[in-house]
Amino acid sequence: MIDSLEENGFFTVPLEEVASKTHTSLSEVTEALHILQKLEPHGIFAVDLRECLLIQLDFAGMRNTNTWNIVNNYLEEVAKGRISTISRALSLSTAQVRMCIEQIAHLNPDVLGSSDPPTS
């Protein structure tokens, strides 16, 4: 599974494929993935950006918060700047939504830093 990690730290290989190639049950592969997702940097082995951010929020003790809910359900709206849409949907003030977006902005979407240019 480690050899299948993308440069950005995401794991996009279908678990059924891993199970087949390793002659392991799907439940064992799923359990292994959950163990790998607990490694640092937090968010590694996520399947996509949403899951990467949710893993980071979980490690920060922010599960079931407004920020968690926004990442889980409204990430596209965040990317498009649709603060009012999120505000109405969650019955939050725009200030509260902006505060959550600020928290999201401090998360690391590229856990392995592959998009950063090398430093000299």
Side-chain angles (χ1 to χ4, degrees):
M1 293 174 81
I2 291 170
D3 291 337
S4 300
L5 210 58
E6 293 183 3
E7 286 184 23
N8 59 7
F10 290 170
F11 183 78
T12 58
V13 178
L15 294 181
E16 295 82 7
E17 184 179 323
V18 174
S20 175
K21 286 184 177 181
T22 60
H23 308 289
T24 309
S25 72
L26 182 59
S27 64
E28 288 175 307
V29 170
T30 302
E31 184 178 336
L33 179 62
H34 290 302
I35 291 169
L36 290 169
Q37 288 176 335
K38 293 179 181 175
L39 296 174
E40 288 188 22
H42 298 143
I44 195 165
F45 283 98
V47 298
D48 58 20
L49 175 62
R50 183 186 135 280
E51 185 177 51
C52 176
L53 299 176
L54 289 175
I55 289 169
Q56 291 177 51
L57 288 170
D58 191 31
F59 275 96
M62 295 180 68
R63 184 181 281 265
N64 299 320
T65 62
N66 289 329
T67 304
W68 174 280
N69 193 9
I70 289 171
V71 169
N72 196 34
N73 299 301
Y74 300 96
L75 201 54
E76 186 174 326
E77 284 79 5
V78 170
K80 292 179 179 178
R82 296 182 178 161
I83 294 171
S84 296
T85 301
I86 301 167
S87 175
R88 283 191 299 276
L90 298 178
S91 299
L92 298 172
S93 70
T94 56
Q96 288 173 301
V97 173
R98 287 180 196 279
M99 186 176 74
C100 292
I101 292 172
E102 179 68 24
Q103 291 173 327
I104 295 166
H106 284 92
L107 299 175
N108 185 4
D110 186 9
V111 294
L112 294 182
S114 61
S115 64
D116 292 340
T119 57
S120 50

